[in-house]
Amino acid sequence: TKRSWRERLSGNAFARGLSSLFVRHPKLDDDLLDELETTLITADVGVEASSELVEGLRKRMHKREFADAPALLAALRQALVALLKPVEQPLDVRGKQPYVVLVVGINGAGKTTTIGKLARRWRDEKRAVMLAAGDTFRAAAVEQLKTWGERNQVPVISQGQDADAASVIFDALQAARSRGTDVLIADTAGRLHTQGGLMDELGKIARVLKKIDDAAPHEVLMVIDGTTGQNAVNQVRQFRQIVGVTGLVVTKLDGTAKGGVVFALAREFGLPIRYVGLGETATDLRVFEAEAFVDGLLP
Ligand code: GDP
């Protein structure tokens, strides 16, 4: 699977930027480090994280810890893994029945697709999964979820368009309890232009869930589009003011994303990165692994 991470990530701007840097500039000197910093910033690592990483390496270079560019690259790898290791915390849905996962994030981030992939993953692990169509704001979202449920024999609780999201999710948790469901995955609306409305809605969902299980939701999973660059950091910041996010999924890291945003998120929030999306099919949602991710990005 290490090779498959690399195949998916090697077209990434991060990977391409670093490869070309070390080809253009094989000599170990301060210019190389300046260019490395620029490359990291261009790949969405963020100004502060890039500067910290490079200044750490520069000190070590001046102490002559590295003999050549490959030694520097090895140290960079180590530093990048160290940055991501603390957020490598896989989601464990055992121990609660049902385990309630509330999925949040702005429209287009990949929420519905991620819910489909998660349902498939947990179903394949022989868990009983149920979906709650809590994005009642968009008719298409309810339909998308239903289609997915039918195709994979996973029940979907919905109340049609304009229903109250908290009521849908409350009903779903009751149904999940009575049917012995293992994991309930609840979709939610993702509008950010009415932040007050979204805050009220997510707040109400959390309150009604607690009426049934005061530990629910057990996970608030925020889905973020990896192609949105530093904006992803702002999105997480905004959502954290609305709801207690407990884990992240970064999607679309195949394709045109600059994988650096994962480092920026790890440094800024320290929130667990549960999964990354490396493609559109069900098996393209990977449990996040710091080493596999970094090795996929490096030349
Ligand atoms: P939602 O509005 O947040 O529910 O977003 P959707 O789940 O509808 O996803 C928006 C688009 O992103 C769809 O075309 C998905 O196929 C695509 N998408 C989601 N995750 C990934 C991923 O990991 N990689 C790629 N390449 N596309 C993805």
Side-chain angles (χ1 to χ4, degrees), residues 12-251:
N12 202 292
F14 192 110
R16 280 189 282 113
L18 281 179
S19 307
S20 86
L21 169 62
F22 283 97
V23 171
R24 271 187 289 118
H25 205 126
K27 197 165 161 274
L28 184 64
D29 57 17
D30 280 304
D31 287 347
L32 172 63
L33 285 174
D34 292 341
E35 283 206 42
L36 175 60
E37 184 169 354
T38 310
T39 303
L40 294 175
I41 292 171
T42 310
D44 285 337
V45 173
V47 174
E48 282 149 31
S50 301
S51 160
E52 277 170 17
L53 281 164
V54 168
E55 290 322 309
L57 293 171
R58 199 187 299 276
K59 276 197 197 115
R60 296 176 59 188
M61 182 181 79
H62 289 160
K63 284 196 256 169
R64 305 197 181 283
E65 284 186 37
F66 318 128
D68 51 16
L72 173 74
L73 189 60
L76 174 65
R77 175 190 183 275
Q78 215 176 37
L80 291 172
V81 170
L83 197 53
L84 295 184
K85 208 66 188 173
V87 299
E88 180 189 278
Q89 295 175 50
L91 182 60
D92 183 359
V93 296
R94 293 168 303 179
K96 298 280 190 307
Q97 206 189 25
Y99 192 97
V100 181
V101 181
L102 193 65
V103 182
V104 304
I106 71 161
N107 289 339
K111 234 167 348 114
T112 314
T113 309
T114 298
I115 291 172
K117 290 170 173 175
L118 285 173
R120 171 69 177 275
R121 166 183 293 271
W122 288 326
R123 196 206 63 179
D124 287 349
E125 291 172 3
K126 307 281 181 260
R127 300 184 205 286
V129 178
M130 182 185 283
L131 306 181
D135 183 356
T136 54
F137 194 66
R138 285 190 311 142
V142 178
E143 287 314 309
Q144 226 178 317
L145 216 60
K146 279 190 191 163
T147 305
W148 202 94
E150 277 161 25
R151 212 189 308 140
N152 294 276
Q153 296 99 44
V154 169
V156 181
I157 304 297
S158 70
Q159 291 176 3
Q161 213 193 332
D162 294 331
D164 177 43
S167 149
V168 173
I169 295 173
F170 182 83
D171 282 359
L173 180 52
Q174 276 185 322
R177 275 211 156 174
S178 67
R179 293 188 209 176
T181 299
D182 298 310
V183 193
L184 172 65
I185 313 174
D187 196 7
T188 63
R191 321 148 261 168
L192 259 190
H193 52 279
T194 56
Q195 179 140 359
L198 186 61
M199 195 180 298
D200 290 347
E201 182 154 298
L202 292 175
K204 188 170 167 194
I205 291 168
R207 279 198 308 280
V208 302
L209 285 173
K210 285 185 190 351
K211 285 188 181 167
I212 303 177
D213 175 352
D214 61 15
H218 306 101
E219 172 82 355
V220 178
L221 199 57
M222 179 167 178
V223 178
I224 305 149
D225 179 341
T227 64
T228 58
Q230 287 298 301
N231 191 30
V233 174
N234 295 330
Q235 277 173 31
V236 176
R237 203 172 283 134
Q238 277 177 291
F239 264 84
R240 286 186 88 193
Q241 289 167 0
I242 297 176
V243 66
V245 175
T246 54
L248 304 178
V249 177
V250 186
T251 64

